[in-house]
Every structure is written in C-alpha cells, then in structure tokens.
Amino acid sequence: MNNNPLFHIFGEVLFDHFPDGSRVLGGAPFNVAWHLQAFGQSPRFISRIGNDQEGHEIAALMDDWDMSRDAVQTDDSAHPTGSVQVLIHNGEPHYDIVADSAYDFIDSHLLGQKQTLGILYHGSLATRNPVSRRALQTAKAQHQGKVFIDVNLRPPWWERETLLPLLHDADWVKLNEAELSALCPEVSGLEAAMQAFCAQFDLETLVVTLGEQGAIAYDRQRHFVTVKPPPSTVVVDTVGAGDAFAALLLLGLSKRWSLEATLERAQTFACALVGRRGATVADRAFYQAFSEQWND
C-alpha cells in the first residue's frame, strides 16, 4: 500500500447498462483512477459500492488491477452499486443516472484524519447528494495540494449554486465547450469565454474539450494551446475518451510536462482509446507502450 499517494480520486464507480442487456464498467473518476494505476501511479480512489454482486465484481476487478481499495467504502444499507441506464433515441444515447446509489453516500467519517498532498481530482456528479458533498468537503479540508475538477453537467443532477463554490476551490478545470457556455453564458467566443472563466475562478489551467475537433487549453501565463486528433483516427467507441484525456492531464501536471506536451500526449492516448470498445483497457501492454514513449 502507498501511504503517500500522489493522486486522490473522489467520485463515482458504476455500470452502464445498455438496451441489449450488456453493461460496461465506468464512472469518470473510476476510469481516471484505472488509467493512472496502469501508468505506474497508485491513486487513492475514494468511493462507495453496494454490498451486492456488482459491488463485489468491482472489488475483484480493482484487486486484479492492483488498485488500492483502502478508501472504497461498502454500503451495508439499501444503496446499490451505481448504475446508468443508457437509452438510445434516434441513434443518440440518453442517460438515466440512477439516484441514491452507493456513491451518493460516501461517508465523511470513514475518510480518516490524515492530511493529504498531491492532486485531488473530482467531478460534479458525485456532489449531487449532500452526503457525498460533505465527504468531498472533508477530503478537501484535509488536502494541502492542488485540486482538479472534471466538470460533467448531467441534467438534472447539477445546480449552479453548489457547483460554483467547488470551482472557486479548483486549480485546474476540464470541461467541454457546451459546459463552458452553460457556466459562462454572458461571454461570446470560445477564447474570450475561457479567459473570463479563468479570471472568475482564478485558475492555473483550463482545458476545454471539443470532441472530434480536439481540445484547447489556457493557463495563467495567458497562453493558449490547441491539439487536434489526426484525420486517420479510427473511432470504435467514444465512451470514456474524456476520462482518458483527464488522466493524462493529471499525469502531465504531476510530472511537470509542458502544457503543449501534456495536451499532445492526452490527445494521443484518447485517440488510441476510442479505437477500442469500452472506457478502460485491461491490457497492461497497451499502457506500457505509451509509458516507454513518454519516458523523458
């Protein structure tokens, strides 16, 4: 066990259930933690699973991947492991994110009293319930390092009045262009909105993902960096692409890669992931190839 993990990943782990009866393990924080583990880190994943078959399955998968479960709580009451019902309408996916899941009830009293360093990552979905929101506040109060927020606005599971204070606590933020527009509606133009957003929340770095158009970042030095995927990118499954991108942003920030190198490597890794089915890859060789390439 790593007593001083560099990454503290807070939030949901769940299964996406599809109309054909299939299911895929996910949850943005879990996906990020999975990738970081594969890249030789030992993230502390802070979450909660049900005392049910899916919870036991997640625990076994984490053990197989050598992920620490020290901060993964088991809910012995009626709250099941997180799930999302994916519905397809006119070819487009729609998500029913089941309420009152185990990850909505992460218990602040079980987090321990130890002060933490490094980077604390969290999204916005796991803060929809006051219980887990209190747990996040406890984790942040004990944290003396940086805070990275991966915004994920899923109506009706977010409220401006609870999200904005979290953004004020952040050092780094990642979101997509639609989310930036929702949170900064008074400013037109992507770069102007990014500048206004960074100024409002006093951020070190803001990253806006643009789907098939790549991503753009802006930092405190008033420096814009853009990346685009190559035209030859083969897309099999875009689920989890943003989480792969976020994992590499965290890795780059921790290793003090330049912003240009961090974005390029995040784009390269995300492009490789969308060529496979699923949000994570259970093949260590897949990750090893990137680690060797980036061993600088």
Side-chain angles (χ1 to χ4, degrees):
M1 185 187 77
N2 184 356
N3 290 319
N4 294 291
L6 180 59
F7 299 102
H8 308 267
I9 312 297
F10 181 101
E12 67 273 11
V13 56
L14 49 81
F15 278 96
D16 290 320
H17 294 260
F18 293 89
D20 63 1
S22 64
R23 59 178 191 159
V24 176
L25 181 60
F30 178 81
N31 294 339
V32 168
W34 179 279
H35 295 316
L36 289 172
Q37 181 72 32
F39 283 122
Q41 309 302 309
S42 299
R44 175 178 173 240
F45 180 53
I46 307 166
S47 191
R48 193 172 178 94
I49 55 179
N51 189 6
D52 50 28
Q53 163 128 16
E54 292 193 328
H56 300 155
E57 188 174 335
I58 289 167
L61 287 166
M62 290 184 69
D63 289 344
D64 289 344
W65 204 240
D66 298 324
M67 294 174 71
S68 170
R69 290 195 285 117
D70 289 351
V72 178
Q73 304 170 8
T74 299
D75 193 303
D76 288 319
S77 58
H79 304 124
T81 296
S83 63
V84 175
Q85 300 297 326
V86 183
L87 307 173
I88 309 297
H89 292 303
N90 299 322
E92 291 295 320
H94 298 265
Y95 305 96
D96 177 15
I97 306 172
V98 178
D100 293 333
S101 296
Y103 68 79
D104 290 311
F105 296 90
I106 300 171
D107 189 341
S108 59
H109 296 100
L110 300 180
L111 295 183
Q113 302 296 320
K114 184 178 179 181
Q115 294 290 313
T116 59
L117 299 170
I119 301 172
L120 172 63
Y121 164 104
H122 71 88
S124 47
L125 179 58
T127 64
R128 65 181 179 172
N129 186 292
V131 177
S132 278
R133 198 155 62 237
R134 282 194 297 272
L136 176 61
Q137 291 167 347
T138 297
K140 282 166 50 174
Q142 297 170 349
H143 187 65
Q144 298 176 328
K146 302 292 187 181
V147 175
F148 184 116
I149 297 183
D150 195 347
V151 175
N152 189 4
L153 304 185
R154 296 290 192 194
W157 301 122
W158 73 280
E159 296 176 344
R160 183 177 294 270
E161 55 267 30
T162 56
L163 179 59
L164 294 188
L166 298 176
L167 292 169
H168 279 291
D169 290 342
D171 299 287
W172 303 309
V173 171
K174 168 187 161 287
L175 39 56
N176 63 34
E177 191 171 9
E179 289 163 341
L180 177 63
S181 296
L183 294 171
C184 197
E186 66 280 358
V187 181
S188 61
L190 176 58
E191 291 192 355
M194 291 178 69
Q195 290 173 317
F197 194 86
C198 278
Q200 180 180 356
F201 298 108
D202 191 24
L203 301 178
E204 288 185 18
T205 305
L206 171 66
V207 179
V208 179
T209 56
L210 307 171
E212 62 185 17
Q213 297 302 312
I216 181 170
Y218 180 69
D219 64 17
R220 189 167 280 169
Q221 286 69 47
R222 301 181 179 180
H223 184 199
F224 282 102
V225 177
T226 60
V227 289
K228 289 189 176 183
S232 59
T233 301
V234 176
V235 178
V236 173
D237 183 357
T238 60
V239 174
D243 308 332
F245 200 93
L248 260 293
L249 293 178
L250 288 166
L251 197 63
L253 291 165
S254 72
K255 291 180 175 290
R256 301 186 184 279
W257 294 341
S258 69
L259 189 56
E260 290 87 351
T262 298
L263 252 66
E264 286 289 351
R265 291 169 181 182
Q267 183 72 73
T268 298
F269 180 60
C271 284
L273 190 87
V274 300
R276 291 171 171 248
R277 182 72 62 192
T280 57
V281 177
D283 175 6
R284 295 181 189 278
F286 174 77
Y287 295 92
Q288 183 63 29
F290 292 104
S291 295
E292 293 172 354
Q293 182 181 337
W294 300 331
N295 187 20
D296 54 354

